[in-house]
Each structure stands twice: as structure tokens, then as C-alpha cells.
Amino acid sequence: MASTLSMILYFIVFPGLVFTAVVGLLTTWVDRKVSALVQWRVGPPWYQPFADVLKLLGKEIVIPEGAKRTGFLVAPLAGLAAVALVSTMLWLANMRGAGFVGDLIGVIYLLTIPSLGMIIGASASGNPLSSIGASREMKLILAYELPFVIAIFTAVTKVSPMTLKLDGILEYQAMNGVLLGNLSCIIAFVVAILCAQAKLTYPPFDIPEAETELMDGTHMEYSGAALAVVKVTQAMMLFTLPVFFITIFWGGLQLTGWGILYTIVKYVIIVTIIVLIKNTNPRVRIDQAVRFFWGPVTILAIVGMILAVLGL
Amino acid sequence: MSTTIPIGPFHPVLEEPEYITLEVDGERVLSADIDLGRNHRGMELLAQEKTYDQDTFLVERICGICSASHSWAASRAVEDVVGCEVPARARYLRTIVHELERLHSHMLWVGLGGHIIGYWTVFMWGWKYREPILDALEMITGNRQHYAWYRPGGVRRDVPDEIWPKVLKILDEFDEKVDLLTGAVLDDPVILGRLKGVGILTKEDAIAYGALGPTARGSGVDIDLRRDEPYGAYAEVDWNVITQDGCDCLAVAVIRLLEMKESVKIVKQCIEKLPGGPIDAGIREVPRGEGIGHIEAPRGETFHFIRSNGTNMPERHKMRAPTYNNIPTFRPRVKGETITDALLCFAIIDPCYSCTERMTVLDPSGRITYGPGELLRLSHEKTEEIRRNS
């Protein structure tokens, strides 16, 4: 009973929903501030993302006529729950070595749920622009999932004995040094960052949202608390994906002594790379994105995989 | 199966309310239709109720970006009726302000282009680079926009000589930034991927649709009023008309970037050669008659027609902004493109809808579409009415 209760606490408070949401929103502030500095603006104060979400929570949820009510409202919640779960799994693996066989597959699977949720929600909204956004999101998932999975499995290949447990990968790195020290894993890391850009729907792959084309596409009909959930999910993804990459490629999170600072530095470096890519690229077309991911990125990922098999 | 995608009336890509419908099959655009008529302000009627001197203030407000163009064109129309010669200093001062306006207008479009392809950094940087030009305009005319600079016969105020070094310094800095942006556009594979080969407007189509300005020059149509029918000081300075044969969105974007360099050249030469003397021809009376004034605005040819009945107000003041001619080029451009590119095709002409709209038909039963014959009849009736009353 006590363990069930503590599991629920893990999921809801730390390191799950609340913790991930707070840190995620703070990260979106970093994102906004860095973007502002790149663009010669001042940028918002640190509490701006929280104020935005609080304001949205107090607003009315408008459900468009012709929308499928349940699907429309449940879809964002599914995404939120999935990201909270991923975050919990990653942190527990890092903190206590907790996990189960194949939890890596679970993480990869759960990281897709927010995008799938947006597809369902956007399709349920009954808006033509949203439905175009949903179809673009579908194409985007098809495009980036393959190189993403290959990149993650490059790391798995490098680990000996080969394991699908997050815990196992962390243990290997603790014994033999971080995986990012290998050529194959550097390539895989680059591929993973590019796919993260698409997972987060950040420029140049903000195609499903495309403000100047589809007026926020998949998010278009969401308002009030539902929109807050969508925004928080995105913020949590911005926190969870770098943590996932640190776990897989960069020796995991050290949560004692100077390790905390080191962990924060690793996290900030990954977030900065993502934000800089975001600010130095225009949005590409969906066909260009698909060609990019299936062409150069997949080839790069396969090259990384081959190198890993060869032992580099 | 085709779906209708509404763009507007309120949409982030449109600065003004406009309604565009796209017939799409998946992402592919089959056809486009544009429904104008949401920005009617009654400018022509207002112009007919004000004196010639007041009109230049009014027509400036047709467009916030090409305000110098409209007031210069209106002034030229009045000068055409009077048949007077504008003093040399006034011609040079007019040219300087007009070219500075082209600089800030083109830079504004560069920012907007960045906004449309989702490149926020270019949007912010472009608009930041544009600021010093507005400062220069404020130094010269006293206003950032709506310069109140042109009047029939000349310009309103003289400029002290000590401001020119400051303006030249701003221009030098601006020139470097244009080089930087041009390099960035031509070197960035992602930007090239978004613009190259997108929105093809063939030379034949450009001529058939009567495209103007950079839109036409981007399709290889070599027209520029500044060279073809020189006015102001354009015949006396050295500059080139930029044309590109790409026929796509990239060609038009490159033209805007390169034209900025030409404008900087023109302004510098004008400042160097600026003659002394009076700044106003001193028009006292406008005789009966008709006159036209047209100049090359940043977006193409702006056309003003004035019919005078000998009083101090025009009997008819007809204005035409270049966007009017450029809007129909959407159709050949968007056919077969994706939705993503369709919006770029709309924005590439740098549309200025409120400058374009002169007439609105209100009918409670719904939308009315006038055919060419109907419009010609209405136009004839209006002319007859004017003739009867004068």
C-alpha cells in the first residue's frame, strides 16, 4: 500500500507531473529569453510562462460546433500523462536504478503519445486548418521516428552486454565512461537532437503549427484550460527530451554534490542547441522535412549504427 | 476530392483584413480566389472635397508605407494640370525622401518575408535595420511616416545642410546590413529551398496580368518608371534597374534586396549633387484641365489622375496603387503549389490591400460580382455624371 502511495506521489509530484511542469515552464522561459536576445528584444520576465498558464486555466474552454467533444478534450490529457510518466521513469532510473526490462522501449513509445494526442485532438476539432495540421503532424512522425529509434538503438548497441534497460545503459556508462565519447554515439546524438526539434515542433519543423499558414494548426481550436494542458505538455517535452538524451548518451543525471551543477550544465547545453537551431532557421515545407529525415538524417543514423556495430 | 481552406478575413499573414479561399486537394492548391472590399475608406470622394494642398496630406494616408509615393504622384498630377516646372532643389529633395521610403519599405518586406517563412530572427533583424532609415526620414522631414513633404509645385520645408552627414552615416551603416542580409539569403540552403522555384509567374503571365514593380521585374519584364519616363532627379544620377529572370519568389526577394543597394546609391548621389535655390514653384491657381501623375512606388507604379474645374478642389481624383495590378498574379502563382507556398505567393507582391480598395458594394442579400462590362458601364455613367455637373 505504502509503495503504491509513493508511486502515485512520484508520478504526481516529484519527479512526475508537477516537478516536470515547473522545470519545463522555466525552460520555456529560458527558450523565450534566449530567443529574445538573439532577436535583439528584451524578452519576458521569468514568471511569464507561469502567468500564461495560470491565465489560461481561468479562461473558458470553447468547444467548436461540429467537434467530437470527448476526443477533443481527452487527447491533450493523454499527452500530458504520457510525458509525466516518461519523466518519472527517467528520473527513477537515474535516482534509484529503478526500472523494468525493456523500459527504454516504453519511453520511446510514450514520447510519441503527445504527438499522437495532438493528431487526435486536432482531427476531433472539426476545423479544416487543424485537420491539415494533423495530417502534417502524421507525416512528420513518420519522417522522424525511424532515425530517432535508430539513433537511440545505436547507444543500445554500444552497451555491452546489450540491454534495453535505462538502468543498464546508465550502469555501463558509469563503468566505461559516457557513450558520447564514441564517434558512433556523437552521430546518433546529432540525429537525436534533429529529431527532437521535430518532436517539439520547433522551427525548422514547426510545420504542423505553422502560425503564418495554419494559425497554430493543431492547437488552433484549443482554448482555456485545454490550451494550458497543451502548452504545459510542450514545456514538459522540452524538459524530458534533454533528460532522456543525457540519460542515454551523456552519463545520466548526477544528483549529489558537484554532479548537480554538471547535470544542469549538460541540460542547458542541450536546450541551448535546440533554441539556437530554432532561431537560425526558417520553417521548411512538409515534403522537404520528410525528404530531409528519410534522406540525410536516416543515412547518418544508419552510418552511426554501422560504426557502433564495428565497435567505434 | 477538394477542400476549401479559408485564409482570412483575419489571418497572421495578412496585415489587413482580406478573404482568400484556397481550393486544395490534400496540401496541393487547385485554385485560389480573393475577395477584396474590407478596407474601403472613401479616399476618392474625400479627395474631391478638399483643396489641392490638403489633398497631399490625405493621399499620404492611403498607405503608411508608401506615403511619399502617393503624395508625390498627386503633386505631379496637379503640376501636370498647371504645366509648371518644379525647381531643381525641390526635385532632388523629393527624390531623396522617396528613395529613403523605398529603403524602409523593402526592408519591411524582408522582415515580413522572414515572418511568413517562419524565420523569426530575420523578421526582428529586418525591422531593426529599418529603424535608422525612419530616423533619417524624421531628421529630414520631421516625421517617421506621413512626411507631409510634398506639395504641388515643390516641397514644404527646406532642409539645413548640417543634417546630410548624419544621413550619409546612416546610409553607410544600412548598406553594410543589406550586404549581410543579401549574403544570408543567397547562402542559406533552407531559405533557398523555401523560395527557389516557388510561385512561378512567367514573363507572359506577368505581362498579361499587368504586373508592376518588383513583381514584374522578377519575371524578367524590364519596366521601371524611374528610367522609362524620368522624373525627379532620376535622370541626373547613376543607377541601374534590377531585373531577374527567375520568375519565382526568390527572384522577387533578390530584386528587393538589390534595389536597396541601388536606392542607397541614388540617395548618396542626390545629397552630393543637391543644388541650391527655391524649393517651391509657387502654384497660385489651378486651371481647368486634366492631369496625370505617376511614379515608381516601392511596389510598382502608383497612378493619380486629377480633373480640375478651375476651383481649388479637384473635380475627380482617381488613384491606383500597384497592388491593384499585382493581386491577380496570385492565381497563376499558386496553382499547383502547396498551402505553405501559397501564402508566400500572396506575400511576395508585398500586398497593400487598403491602398488598393476604392469601391465597395453593399448588398444585404450577399456578394455581388461585377463583370468587366458592368464595371465599364458604371465607369461611363460616373464620367457622364461628372460632365453633366461641371
Side-chain angles (χ1 to χ4, degrees):
Chain A
M1 185 62 209
S3 81
T4 318
L5 204 64
S6 69
M7 269 307 171
I8 289 173
L9 265 180
Y10 279 139
F11 178 68
I12 304 252
V13 185
F14 178 86
L17 191 61
V18 175
F19 173 71
T20 315
V22 169
V23 183
L25 285 173
L26 270 179
T27 315
T28 59
W29 170 73
V30 173
D31 167 17
R32 287 168 71 170
K33 192 78 184 174
V34 172
S35 302
L37 293 178
V38 170
Q39 296 167 0
W40 283 329
R41 291 185 283 116
V42 179
W46 68 270
Y47 55 82
Q48 189 64 52
F50 299 97
D52 287 351
V53 167
L54 271 182
K55 184 205 78 175
L56 284 175
L57 284 174
K59 294 258 179 183
E60 182 194 4
I61 303 180
V62 181
I63 297 170
E65 220 174 280
K68 295 276 175 291
R69 199 186 162 89
T70 324
F72 182 68
L73 290 178
V74 168
L77 288 174
L80 185 77
V83 188
L85 192 55
V86 171
S87 190
T88 316
M89 284 163 74
L90 288 171
W91 278 79
L92 289 187
N94 272 295
M95 287 181 340
R96 319 190 312 176
F100 52 90
V101 177
D103 54 0
L104 180 61
I105 295 177
V107 168
I108 295 174
Y109 164 73
L110 286 171
L111 281 175
T112 323
I113 301 287
S115 309
L116 289 176
M118 278 332 299
I119 293 173
I120 295 168
S123 311
S125 75
N127 183 306
L129 292 172
S130 288
S131 69
I132 287 179
S135 90
R136 288 181 178 187
E137 180 95 51
M138 264 183 247
K139 288 173 194 155
L140 203 57
I141 290 181
L142 289 176
Y144 69 69
E145 275 305 317
L146 177 66
F148 185 69
V149 172
I150 295 176
I152 300 302
F153 275 80
T154 308
V156 174
T157 318
K158 271 310 284 181
V159 174
S160 61
M162 225 189 264
T163 173
L164 285 174
K165 268 186 82 176
L166 291 168
D167 184 25
I169 296 173
L170 284 170
E171 234 167 64
Y172 174 84
Q173 295 190 78
M175 311 280 271
N176 304 301
V178 295
L179 282 173
L180 214 50
N182 305 305
L183 180 64
S184 59
C185 285
I186 292 175
I187 293 174
F189 184 69
V190 171
V191 171
I193 291 270
L194 286 172
C195 296
Q197 211 77 18
K199 262 194 187 305
L200 292 163
T201 57
Y202 270 9
F205 307 113
D206 58 338
I207 315 161
E209 288 165 28
E211 195 185 317
T212 46
E213 293 154 32
L214 304 180
M215 299 195 270
D216 253 12
T218 42
H219 302 168
M220 188 179 175
E221 290 293 352
Y222 282 103
S223 54
L227 183 60
V229 169
V230 171
K231 293 281 175 203
V232 169
T233 311
Q234 273 193 325
M236 286 162 76
M237 280 291 275
L238 184 59
F239 176 54
T240 311
L241 276 174
V243 168
F244 181 49
F245 295 156
I246 292 172
T247 309
I248 298 289
F249 296 109
W250 210 343
L253 312 164
Q254 287 85 34
L255 299 168
T256 48
W258 287 105
I260 296 180
L261 197 66
Y262 183 42
T263 308
I264 291 173
V265 168
K266 287 193 277 192
Y267 175 66
V268 168
I269 287 174
I270 295 182
V271 169
T272 311
I273 293 172
I274 290 175
V275 173
L276 285 182
I277 296 177
K278 172 183 166 184
N279 279 305
T280 49
N281 279 293
R283 179 173 49 246
V284 296
R285 269 200 319 264
I286 184 69
D287 55 313
Q288 288 169 335
V290 172
R291 220 173 295 140
F292 177 67
F293 277 115
W294 281 359
V297 177
T298 304
I299 291 168
L300 200 62
I302 291 172
V303 168
M305 186 68 149
I306 291 169
L307 287 179
V309 172
L310 293 176
L312 282 167
Chain B
M1 203 203 71
S2 71
T3 329
T4 306
I5 298 289
I7 311 280
F10 302 100
H11 190 281
V13 93
L14 306 166
E15 304 96 72
E16 297 137 289
E18 256 355 293
Y19 187 53
I20 301 163
T21 40
L22 294 177
E23 283 289 318
V24 296
D25 178 15
E27 286 253 349
R28 204 56 56 187
V29 178
L30 302 174
S31 70
D33 195 10
I34 181 155
D35 185 9
L36 301 171
R38 284 168 174 77
N39 299 295
H40 180 58
R41 291 176 294 172
M43 281 283 183
E44 288 187 356
L45 190 67
L46 277 173
Q48 286 155 29
E49 290 165 357
K50 295 190 185 307
T51 64
Y52 290 111
D53 209 40
Q54 290 169 334
D55 268 351
T56 55
F57 294 107
L58 175 76
V59 295
E60 267 181 344
R61 276 142 186 89
I62 291 176
C63 180
I65 301 163
C66 30
S67 51
S69 314
H70 281 286
S71 51
W72 194 357
S75 303
R76 282 194 79 203
V78 178
E79 286 152 17
D80 191 23
V81 179
V82 178
C84 74
E85 205 41 54
V86 180
R89 187 175 173 82
R91 282 193 288 120
Y92 274 77
L93 288 174
R94 283 175 165 193
T95 310
I96 289 170
V97 170
H98 186 51
E99 285 308 307
L100 284 174
E101 177 188 82
R102 190 182 316 278
L103 284 177
H104 92 69
S105 170
H106 281 359
M107 197 45 111
L108 178 124
W109 184 86
V110 168
L112 279 182
H115 166 70
I116 285 150
I117 61 172
Y119 202 159
W120 295 101
T121 311
V122 165
F123 174 53
M124 295 288 170
W125 286 28
W127 282 42
K128 185 187 162 64
Y129 293 156
R130 174 176 171 256
E131 267 324 283
I133 296 295
L134 297 179
D135 290 344
L137 280 166
E138 190 170 354
M139 254 189 260
I140 297 170
T141 67
N143 290 318
R144 282 159 56 88
Q145 321 228 280
H146 299 327
Y147 317 107
W149 185 244
Y150 299 83
R151 66 180 299 178
V155 294
R156 274 177 212 281
R157 288 177 295 274
D158 206 346
V159 182
D161 284 333
E162 55 269 22
I163 67 159
W164 297 123
K166 292 181 208 159
V167 175
L168 284 172
K169 187 165 166 279
I170 289 175
L171 284 173
D172 283 335
E173 283 163 12
F174 187 80
D175 208 24
E176 284 165 26
K177 285 156 188 166
V178 173
D179 281 339
L180 185 139
L181 271 178
T182 315
V185 168
L186 296 179
D187 288 343
D188 190 334
V190 189
I191 295 186
L192 284 184
R194 279 303 308 275
L195 296 179
K196 207 173 166 75
V198 167
I200 299 288
L201 178 71
T202 58
K203 190 169 180 179
E204 291 72 41
D205 274 343
I207 293 170
Y209 280 90
L212 295 171
T215 312
R217 293 198 283 276
S219 296
V221 185
D222 191 10
I223 50 163
D224 194 321
L225 215 59
R226 293 175 289 171
R227 180 204 56 201
D228 301 339
E229 203 178 305
Y231 56 95
Y234 290 112
E236 291 147 49
V237 291
D238 173 39
W239 62 285
N240 300 313
V241 177
I242 309 286
T243 49
Q244 294 268 320
D245 294 325
C247 300
D248 52 4
C249 290
L250 179 70
V252 184
V254 169
I255 279 185
R256 291 218 165 88
L257 287 164
L258 296 181
E259 268 187 10
M260 282 197 270
K261 303 231 14 137
E262 294 299 318
S263 294
V264 171
K265 250 165 75 182
I266 295 173
V267 179
K268 279 185 178 170
Q269 291 178 57
C270 283
I271 292 176
E272 209 177 285
K273 292 184 180 173
L274 187 65
I279 55 160
D280 196 357
I283 295 175
R284 290 278 155 264
E285 218 167 76
V286 182
R288 251 171 200 281
E290 289 178 356
I292 58 165
H294 51 169
I295 58 145
E296 185 79 15
R299 293 165 179 75
E301 179 193 343
T302 292
F303 179 91
H304 280 242
F305 164 82
I306 282 179
R307 186 188 157 96
S308 158
N309 55 5
T311 63
N312 63 348
M313 291 182 205
E315 188 176 28
R316 175 87 178 97
H317 191 157
K318 160 81 189 154
M319 320 142 187
R320 195 201 63 194
T323 305
Y324 181 76
N325 280 44
N326 286 337
I327 284 176
T329 63
F330 289 167
R331 282 204 157 188
R333 266 195 207 279
V334 298
K335 204 163 255 179
E337 299 290 352
T338 58
I339 296 171
T340 313
D341 291 336
L343 286 149
L344 187 62
C345 296
F346 294 142
I348 200 71
I349 67 160
D350 198 359
C352 203
Y353 300 109
S354 61
C355 315
T356 298
E357 292 176 8
R358 298 281 167 267
M359 188 181 84
T360 299
V361 179
L362 290 177
D363 185 345
S365 70
R367 185 176 149 190
I368 299 181
T369 309
Y370 283 115
E374 189 85 353
L375 281 174
L376 198 64
R377 185 181 60 72
L378 281 171
S379 167
H380 286 169
E381 279 175 9
K382 182 77 190 288
T383 315
E384 285 300 315
E385 197 186 314
I386 290 174
R387 290 219 174 110
R388 266 202 310 280
N389 295 338
S390 62

